[in-house]
Amino acid sequence: MNMQDFYTGHAFDAYEFFGAHTYFGGTHFAVWAPSAQHIAVETEVGTYDMHRTQSAVWECDVPGANAGMVYQYWVRGANGQTVAHCDPYGTAMTLRPDGRSIIADRPTGFTDDKWMAGRTKCFDKPLNIYEVHAGSWRQKEDGSWYTYAELAELLPAYCKENGFTHIELMPLAEHPFDGSWGYQITGFYAPTSRYGTPQQLAEFVNACHKEGIGVILDFVPVHFAIDSYGLKEFDGTPLYEDPDPLRGEHPEWGTYVFNFGRREVRNFLVANALFWLEDLHFDALRVDAVSSMLYLDYSREPGHWRPNIYGGRENLEAIDFLKEATATAYKNNPGVMVIAEESTAWPGITAPTSAGGIGFGMKWNMGWMHDTLEYLHEEPINRKWHHNEITFSMVYAYSEHYVLPISHDEVVYGKGSLYGKMPGDDWQKLAGVRSMFAYQWAHPGKKLSFMGNELAQWGEWDHDASIDWDCLNWQEHRQVQTMVADLNAFYKAHPALWSQDFDPAGFQWLTSDDADHNTLSFLRIGTKGETLAVVVNFSGEAWSDYQVALPTGGKWTEVFTTDDAKYGGSDIHNGTFEAVEGEYHSRPFSAKITVPALGVVFLKPED
């Protein structure tokens, strides 16, 4: 490796030099620790002193150290204390609370060359993501986890059968605390050994690609766990963390914040992103908690944060890092997606860096998620007083490239399941879940739903247990699952619903102000003029002779309804009908239809 590139932050293949790399008969170890006084690597074949080969790099060869063996660094830091650390660039680790690294060869055996060559950012493609926590999607009878190998046999096939295009996995980098769900990391290059080896994870990704399913990884370059064997004061100084106590510790999460101004640290993180995309063939990264990186005062009380050099609250170093990370990911892997979880109105999150933006391809629409769930939590009789909550998202729908999420964060910690959020009796709750899915899938933006939502499971998510597969013993829940699968197939088959997600030309209101009926109607339009009219009734009553404004005359046909009997609905249908001439809501035609209670209907004009 060109060390000058590393010191200037441009050695994006640094993980191919640092860490543990096997050769015929042994393993070469290299670690960056500029202020260390002495480092030894303890292996299963002995402990070896490392030598400083450059001012900041320590190396040694260990004969007889082979893949699968455990090791750790003993670092005597600048403070004179000797502490055991895992390898920052180590690609496998033992399970908590041990915290040692494992020598691991680079994953091999991929057969997805065609898939990799055809990867796409999905701007003008269908994208409906199934978000998964690997340890609790499905568990064995004894409560143990399925391995990567076992998930490879089950999860891609399930997603294909149910019509999802991508799986998004919550963080898989090694982490000490199960309850952090992977968001507080110690081994940034090490896929968690909870479910198997890096090779087995690679085989899982390969299996997904074989089934035509893309794989997204939740990526966490925000902060790291404070466990002593991790990155904390690695060489006796704040090496990876920001040395400023008003910037280096995260008060909300009890973690350390990376020093984004240090080039070697930025290099570590950008190279880490490329590692997951290139070595393990992930198709996208969803970057966690971007807001906490953008703002110096994020989750901090007045007087407990330090302004930037211009006196502002923007974290200039973190912004530069994000721009560098997104630009480098696209340059090295042109078809990948980089998606931001960002909860504020920071402008230009998905604008290209060349235009002054941050450079993400897409951004989670947290405002849409919050407003929609708040609206649906209201009893239908009260929803007319909250109508602006369900229509407001279209005011800003094209300000960024949005993904509409109903994520894990919304079905945990007492918030209840998607089913549990819905008011009313069991039928109304199930109808509410069906209408929620259809409204989400019809709204401009890409889609994401957390595992279990498609089952209308009763309870909220528990990371220690499997999702509520038992609810499928009830026909009503099987019917919701069937509707989601059919809706996914319908969505993928109709370019009107996805080909212009990020273009205002892809959406037109028909009626946005019918608060008294809790009803919305709008058009979705494809790049070739394909048109669907969508009528959403969030009230608890069916509306007979409901007049819908339409753009053209002639025959229209109901092509999908969430109220079909096979989905557990009341089986109201409209069939084919004529749109009659006469201005209505500024449209030249209209038709009277029946809109089912808590139902969504899709209407298509005759070609």
Side-chain angles (χ1 to χ4, degrees), residues 420-471:
K421 294 176 188 294
M422 302 296 169
D425 60 23
D426 190 55
W427 188 94
Q428 292 169 320
K429 286 177 179 290
L430 293 164
V433 172
R434 296 194 303 269
S435 63
M436 161 75 238
F437 266 103
Y439 166 68
Q440 180 182 7
W441 261 232
H443 191 290
K446 306 306 180 184
K447 327 299 177 190
L448 178 144
S449 195
F450 187 56
M451 62 183 196
N453 289 345
E454 81 282 7
L455 312 179
Q457 71 173 32
W458 297 299
E460 66 179 22
W461 173 50
D462 176 3
H463 71 269
D464 286 326
S466 173
I467 63 174
D468 255 341
W469 295 106
D470 284 350
C471 72

Side-chain angles (χ1 to χ4, degrees), residues 18-307:
F18 290 118
H21 297 275
T22 58
Y23 59 86
F24 184 74
T27 297
H28 178 79
F29 296 90
V31 64
W32 175 61
S35 297
Q37 298 180 24
H38 178 262
I39 302 180
V41 57
E42 179 188 353
T43 74
E44 292 184 30
V45 296
T47 300
Y48 287 74
D49 289 333
M50 304 183 75
H51 52 281
R52 191 193 294 266
T53 58
Q54 302 187 49
S55 60
V57 179
W58 299 73
E59 298 180 66
C60 75
D61 290 305
V62 179
N66 299 315
M69 292 185 175
V70 173
Y71 71 100
Q72 63 184 338
Y73 296 126
W74 287 95
V75 182
R76 186 166 75 240
N79 54 12
Q81 297 178 359
T82 299
V83 178
H85 287 280
C86 62
D87 189 341
Y89 286 87
T91 54
M93 286 182 67
T94 57
L95 266 182
R96 77 277 184 266
D98 191 7
R100 292 180 293 169
S101 298
I102 302 171
I103 302 169
D105 287 331
R106 202 167 188 167
T108 59
F110 284 104
T111 58
D112 59 352
D113 289 353
K114 185 176 179 180
W115 172 276
M116 294 290 284
R119 291 201 291 194
T120 171
K121 292 182 172 62
C122 292
F123 285 3
D124 59 349
K125 296 287 189 296
L127 178 62
N128 53 335
I129 303 164
Y130 187 62
E131 187 190 19
V132 171
H133 177 259
S136 57
W137 177 66
R138 192 185 289 274
Q139 293 183 351
K140 300 176 184 178
E141 290 186 5
D142 63 0
S144 61
W145 299 305
Y146 277 85
T147 65
Y148 294 126
E150 290 165 331
L151 288 171
E153 295 291 323
L154 298 170
L155 186 51
Y158 179 82
C159 287
K160 183 177 182 180
E161 179 184 356
N162 287 277
F164 291 96
T165 65
H166 287 69
I167 296 166
E168 179 172 313
L169 293 165
M170 291 171 67
L172 291 179
E174 195 59 81
H175 51 283
F177 177 46
D178 292 352
S180 79
W181 311 332
Y183 290 100
Q184 296 186 12
I185 296 171
T186 47
F188 282 78
Y189 286 81
T192 178
S193 57
R194 286 168 175 79
Y195 318 120
T197 66
Q199 177 64 37
Q200 290 168 332
L201 174 57
E203 291 167 2
F204 167 82
V205 174
N206 195 66
C208 290
H209 290 169
K210 184 178 179 180
E211 294 288 357
I213 304 295
V215 193
I216 302 168
L217 179 70
D218 219 330
F219 180 62
V220 191
V222 184
H223 56 164
F224 58 87
I226 63 173
D227 299 70
S228 62
Y229 64 81
L231 298 179
K232 176 184 177 182
E233 296 181 349
F234 189 84
D235 64 354
T237 69
L239 185 61
Y240 287 90
E241 60 268 44
D242 195 308
D244 186 339
L246 295 184
R247 293 192 183 189
E249 297 183 27
H250 202 296
E252 184 178 4
W253 299 319
T255 53
Y256 283 135
V257 178
F258 282 104
N259 184 356
F260 298 111
R262 188 163 193 166
R263 290 187 176 91
E264 298 93 337
V265 173
R266 282 165 55 169
N267 198 127
F268 171 83
L269 293 171
V270 175
N272 189 219
L274 299 184
F275 165 79
W276 294 100
L277 295 171
E278 296 175 5
D279 272 40
L280 290 163
H281 289 203
F282 281 90
D283 301 294
L285 300 176
R286 176 267 196 189
V287 183
D288 181 59
V290 171
S291 301
S292 73
M293 303 170 73
L294 295 174
Y295 300 97
L296 292 167
D297 62 345
Y298 182 89
S299 192
R300 298 176 189 271
E301 297 295 328
H304 293 269
W305 61 279
R306 198 180 308 283

Side-chain angles (χ1 to χ4, degrees), residues 526-550:
T527 53
K528 297 180 180 179
E530 309 96 331
T531 301
L532 289 173
V534 185
V535 186
V536 183
N537 179 11
F538 283 128
S539 80
E541 298 180 50
W543 306 125
S544 300
D545 293 327
Y546 185 83
Q547 192 166 5
V548 180
L550 293 170

